[in-house]
Amino acid sequence: MKIIHDKKSLIKKIQSNSNIGFVPTMGFLHDGHLSLVKQSKLENETTIVSIFVNPLQFGKNEDLDSYPRDHEKDLDLLKKENVDIVFFPQDDFYHPHHQTIIQNSSIRHKYCGATRKNHFDGVLTVVAKFFNLIRPKIAYFGEKDFQQFFLIKKMTTDLDFLVDVKPSATIRENNGLAMSSRNKYLSQQQREKASFIYQALKRAKEKINNKENSNEQNISKIIKDTILELKSYCSSVEYLVLVDEQTLMEASIIEKNKNYRLLVAVQYCSVRLIDNLAI
Ligand code: AMP
């Protein structure tokens, strides 16, 4: 496994390699990340994983400095998966006085973007830089961050990036809590209790899937009731929305032949947790 820190060496190493699978991460790897790596290993000759806590996607009062890091363990895990190249960009990843930002004009301030104002701009910009440097054939993103997956897919379509952006299912703890590097901020007991998010999503899904509930009034009541249920376990519910998967716009009714998804973000024990479930 080759570990590369600078862009020039990376470009030299992958010159004219046209069969690259790419998995961008912020490190502190868990089974969710590794499921993307395994998928890439199966489908590509060369797999590149990046580990970069991207400052551009963190707000001023967010956890950029305290974001969990364990590079040694990450490298061990990636070695075991037979990853070909790990790209660990350094401070010079962004050019001095970087000024160019990619924005999705429709979603950037919705859902997670409502409280994390420049978050999605930072995500799109760093991923665009990675795509330009690495030129992967396929890039893998977890459905755990469904809004992120949607926005990256949209960017590649809108801007004609020649990369196939593939989603990968959310990997969960035994109790249903979606795996996340930020779960480290929770104690074991808090993690156990955090299963309430997935349980609430599953109950809401069951009700929404009941054909008698597909009208506007019932959907609205299910969402309100689920918010109340979530609120009984955590300090606040940032959002719970039903969206059309094709547009990520809020849906008020269920129509045949369309795919929907529930998106949620809560504040629980001072940790912001997100999850989602396909309907
Ligand atoms: P992160 O390191 O949090 O930026 O995540 C890197 C990639 O791993 C993103 O595409 C995430 O969506 C994906 N990922 C994170 N957690 C999970 C999970 N529990 N299941 C599947 N994919 C995940």
Side-chain angles (χ1 to χ4, degrees):
M1 185 171 81
K2 183 112 183 116
I3 300 161
I4 296 180
H5 292 281
D6 67 293
K7 292 187 271 187
K8 270 192 193 144
S9 310
L10 178 74
I11 293 165
K12 209 167 150 199
K13 174 79 185 161
I14 60 179
Q15 246 171 14
S16 71
N17 187 337
S18 59
N19 197 332
I20 293 175
F22 174 48
V23 181
T25 82
M26 297 205 297
F28 207 71
L29 304 178
H30 50 67
D31 285 350
H33 297 110
L34 297 181
S35 68
L36 307 184
V37 172
K38 286 181 203 307
Q39 205 178 331
S40 173
K41 284 294 297 177
L42 277 179
E43 296 176 354
N44 303 280
E45 257 168 40
T46 304
T47 290
I48 302 185
V49 176
S50 64
I51 298 181
F52 183 52
V53 183
N54 171 34
L56 217 55
Q57 70 189 65
F58 284 77
K60 269 193 187 131
N61 300 317
E62 293 181 357
D63 57 346
L64 173 62
D65 294 331
S66 59
Y67 192 83
R69 291 163 169 90
D70 188 341
H71 292 170
E72 243 174 71
K73 187 175 166 212
D74 287 349
L75 291 177
D76 275 353
L77 289 170
L78 295 177
K79 232 181 240 169
K80 281 189 191 128
E81 297 298 336
N82 287 319
V83 164
D84 302 280
I85 298 173
V86 182
F87 181 40
F88 249 126
Q90 292 175 324
D91 290 346
D92 60 357
F93 182 66
Y94 287 105
H95 295 273
H97 314 297
H98 176 105
Q99 293 175 338
T100 308
I101 298 293
I102 298 192
Q103 295 180 347
N104 177 297
S105 54
S106 158
I107 312 286
R108 64 188 288 257
H109 288 154
K110 273 180 171 293
Y111 319 130
C112 282
T115 45
R116 307 189 72 191
K117 284 292 176 205
N118 300 316
H119 173 67
F120 289 133
D121 302 353
V123 168
L124 292 179
T125 304
V126 78
V127 171
K129 274 173 76 72
F130 280 133
F131 284 176
N132 282 333
L133 284 167
I134 294 170
R135 312 215 170 214
K137 192 168 159 207
I138 312 179
Y140 299 85
F141 292 87
E143 286 187 353
K144 153 76 173 34
D145 302 279
F146 193 81
Q147 296 162 65
Q148 171 177 284
F149 161 71
F150 175 92
L151 290 171
I152 289 163
K153 183 109 187 150
K154 191 81 180 89
M155 171 182 81
T156 58
T157 308
D158 287 351
L159 301 182
D160 297 313
F161 279 80
L162 301 179
V163 51
D164 184 8
V165 173
K166 281 199 177 176
S168 197
T170 300
I171 305 297
R172 300 178 179 279
E173 307 279 358
N174 287 337
N175 68 356
L177 174 65
M179 287 191 183
S180 161
S181 306
R182 286 190 173 98
N183 291 353
K184 182 183 189 280
Y185 298 141
L186 300 171
S187 69
Q188 196 50 44
Q189 203 185 13
Q190 290 168 338
R191 275 193 202 198
E192 287 301 327
K193 289 189 178 160
S195 63
F196 73 88
I197 304 167
Y198 183 55
Q199 301 308 332
L201 287 179
K202 276 205 307 189
R203 268 191 288 274
K205 171 179 174 157
E206 226 169 86
K207 291 185 212 160
I208 293 169
N209 274 342
N210 179 345
K211 280 199 187 88
E212 286 167 18
N213 284 336
S214 62
N215 64 59
E216 191 162 349
Q217 217 178 0
N218 289 355
I219 297 284
S220 163
K221 181 164 177 359
I222 293 166
I223 298 290
K224 278 185 194 146
D225 289 349
T226 308
I227 290 175
L228 283 179
E229 180 185 340
L230 289 164
K231 272 188 179 159
S232 69
Y233 293 95
C234 63
S235 47
S236 70
V237 177
E238 232 172 64
Y239 61 80
L240 172 73
V241 283
L242 179 71
V243 296
D244 178 337
E245 274 194 7
Q246 276 313 104
T247 60
L248 224 68
M249 287 297 143
E250 240 174 291
S252 52
I253 54 167
I254 297 288
E255 290 178 72
K256 264 190 200 161
N257 305 323
K258 279 193 172 187
N259 294 322
Y260 297 90
R261 198 168 276 260
L262 278 167
L263 309 176
V264 67
V266 302
Q267 287 285 346
Y268 169 70
C269 303
S270 309
V271 183
R272 187 174 182 280
L273 297 175
I274 60 169
D275 203 343
N276 66 81
L277 199 59
I279 298 296

